Amino acid sequence: MKSRVRVALVLLLILLVAGLFGRPLLIGPPGDASRYLLLEVGGAYAEAAPAGLLGRVFRRREHTLLELLATLKSAAKDDRIRGLVVRVTKLQIGWAKAQDIRAALGDFKAGGKPVIAYLEHEAGAGNLEYYVASAATEVYLPPNASAPLTGLLSQFFFFGGVWEKLDIEMNVEKIREYKTAGDMLANKSMTAAHREMADSLLDSINQQFIAGIAAARGLDEAAVQAVVNQCPIEPAAFAATRLSDGVKFLDEIRHDLVGAAGKFLTAQEYRPAGRSAPGFDWRPKLAVIYAVGPIHTGAAGGGVADDSVGADTLAEAFEQASSDSDIGAIVFRIDSPGGSALASDLIWRAAQRAKAKKPVMVSMSDVAGSGGYYIAAAGTRIVAQPGSLTGSIGVVLAKPNIRGFLGKLGITTETLTRGRFARLDDMTSSASPEERAKVVAAMEHIYDVFLARVSEGRLLTRERVNELGRGRVWTGSQAKDNGLIDELGGFMRAIELAKEAAGIAPAQEVRLQFYPRPKNTIARLAGYLEARAALPMPPAWQRVAAVLLPLSFPDEAILALMAEVVEIR
């Protein structure tokens, strides 16, 4: 009996080893010179995969942006891959991620291999989807597709009228005039500064949108804008205006490229050449530290998703990465609208300490504003896409007086105090002039520290930082012009800069070590049980939730939070 058990264990061990080291051999070569890789591009692209087993069980599967970019980079250099077919469906990403994907498609195309885009879209504007697809060598739509180029829209919601109906007095303080996160809560319409900033952002993104399409399709920018103004919808209209190369089904594209009996190689089947076996990877190592979601003090996340930035968690990540002698440099990837001013400063300090040991290259995703920019200011260099939203150097506070609302419900309160300013946090009274002066003084102090951090990190005078700050949001393109970032580029460009700073040859492949490190399963289960389960919502509902999210202010009262929800679609 014992002998049989030993034999079974040996066989199991052999199978495990074969699974780990022999899998590329068992599935066969990823393709030959006649193979085309089919890549599905659609939905959301997370910055990092859900950590641990529970994250994968409780969250729907989301591909990460880095997975997509890495696949494109590998296939571009792989002689066994002849070309690429990209099936573009509805996207739930921002402009910076879209530009990361476009850049990767452009790099693939620059290597002399064709990129065929198949735009399979219906219902709703197709601006972002077409923008991504237009980077291909050829663009096709199926006969019944509907991907209207409506032109770009930026919409803002204001809740000032809601509080009147509920008998709530919403008190908002902000530093300075462009810090519009509180305007959404307290006002009924845009201020002049808000409108100026919103128009500037929309103009910048629209210029990138039109210029990108024009360059890819070999058209004049004015002609592209004229076509967008006509709002082409049907596939025939795209072909007539040279925005596409015709109307085809995907099976017709496959027939043309690989023949009637041919098949595309899927991304799931594809295995890049030269991949090291697990446990035997001697490539130089870089750290990637993610800051995704709102910023707060303490540890990140209470549930399985961990889509928040905890100061303690990030500080630990920087300490681990900077203390690892095998890591040559750190890429700090940020996709955050900010949050707690205190937490932002604590993370800034952790990044600053890490920079004293190793280079820290900041890569901005769709959003790195307010507290998200604060934590970036400690970086050695800052890289952002032209469509990244950043800046918003300022401070905001919102405090409701709910006494009237409670009265409508028949609830009364009695408040006893000891101390002249004991009512500063009282939500059943509005601030007196003296109390308001105390609050504003605290906010001015935080703003001054914010200016100092940026001045030190960007080598700008405090006066210049104040000119660029005052709560104003900039696109990455604008931020490059005014000195808030160093270079335009995406995730891969930040990795290239990190390699250069670490003394790694440009052609040398590297291994990425991701932070924060995932918790063990028991710890994550405990966190999940303490948190509310987050169920996926339809995209339209997600936008409504995003608009309402700023109403749920965290415990920290003074926030480095970006302007409400800046969405251009």
Side-chain angles (χ1 to χ4, degrees), residues 15-31 80 265 268-278:
L15 289 173
L16 288 173
V17 171
L20 288 173
F21 301 108
R23 189 173 183 227
L25 298 175
L26 292 173
I27 66 169
R80 301 168 298 179
L265 185 71
Q268 290 74 26
E269 296 168 333
Y270 176 60
R271 293 290 180 273
R275 176 176 288 178
S276 301

Side-chain angles (χ1 to χ4, degrees), residues 158-168 184-188 405 548 551:
F158 297 88
F159 294 88
V162 172
W163 314 125
E164 293 179 357
K165 296 180 183 299
L166 298 176
D167 201 4
I168 292 175
M184 181 197 69
L185 289 174
N187 296 358
K188 296 180 181 179
F405 176 69
L548 296 176
L551 297 177

Side-chain angles (χ1 to χ4, degrees), residues 117-119 138-143 217 234-236 238-240 242-249 252-253:
Y118 174 68
L119 181 55
E138 299 175 28
V139 178
Y140 295 98
L141 284 75
R217 299 297 300 172
E234 300 84 3
F238 279 78
R242 295 171 55 195
L243 292 181
S244 80
D245 296 278
V247 179
K248 288 185 181 181
F249 284 108
E252 293 177 309
I253 296 173

Side-chain angles (χ1 to χ4, degrees), residues 47 289-292 295 332-337 362-369 371-373 375-377:
E47 289 295 342
I289 297 179
Y290 284 106
V292 178
I295 298 172
F332 188 20
R333 177 72 171 178
I334 302 173
D335 193 6
S336 172
V362 174
S363 173
M364 293 181 170
S365 184
D366 288 330
V367 179
Y373 185 79
I375 63 179

Side-chain angles (χ1 to χ4, degrees), residues 92-260:
Q92 298 171 37
I93 57 177
W95 289 92
K97 285 193 180 79
Q99 288 167 343
D100 258 319
I101 297 171
R102 276 188 111 249
L105 294 176
D107 289 343
F108 189 101
K109 186 170 66 173
K113 299 180 182 182
V115 179
I116 313 300
Y118 174 68
L119 181 55
E120 193 175 280
H121 184 280
E122 66 176 347
N127 299 312
L128 195 64
E129 290 76 13
Y130 178 78
Y131 179 66
V132 170
S134 69
T137 315
E138 299 175 28
V139 178
Y140 295 98
L141 284 75
N144 206 27
S146 174
L149 290 186
T150 59
L152 304 186
L153 165 76
S154 183
Q155 190 173 50
F156 301 88
F157 292 79
F158 297 88
F159 294 88
V162 172
W163 314 125
E164 293 179 357
K165 296 180 183 299
L166 298 176
D167 201 4
I168 292 175
E169 182 181 345
M170 183 61 69
N171 301 291
V172 172
E173 301 290 348
K174 61 180 184 178
I175 311 277
R176 300 265 192 271
E177 70 271 27
Y178 293 103
K179 197 66 179 177
T180 57
D183 291 351
M184 181 197 69
L185 289 174
N187 296 358
K188 296 180 181 179
S189 62
M190 282 183 167
T191 63
H194 189 176
R195 186 174 298 277
E196 175 198 348
M197 178 177 70
D199 276 330
S200 176
L201 293 173
L202 189 56
D203 285 341
S204 182
I205 297 294
N206 187 66
Q207 190 279 327
Q208 297 167 36
F209 174 62
I210 297 298
I213 294 172
R217 299 297 300 172
L219 300 171
D220 180 74
E221 289 185 24
V224 173
Q225 184 65 69
V227 170
V228 171
N229 289 341
Q230 295 169 13
C231 188
I233 297 176
E234 300 84 3
F238 279 78
T241 55
R242 295 171 55 195
L243 292 181
S244 80
D245 296 278
V247 179
K248 288 185 181 181
F249 284 108
L250 184 60
D251 65 279
E252 293 177 309
I253 296 173
R254 185 178 66 245
H255 182 279
D256 293 344
L257 294 177
V258 297

Side-chain angles (χ1 to χ4, degrees), residues 53-61 304-305 525 528-529 533-536:
L53 174 63
L54 287 176
R56 290 173 172 82
V57 170
F58 287 104
R59 290 187 69 185
R60 63 182 178 182
R61 170 62 176 152
V304 295
L525 179 59
Y528 174 72
L529 293 175
L535 297 177

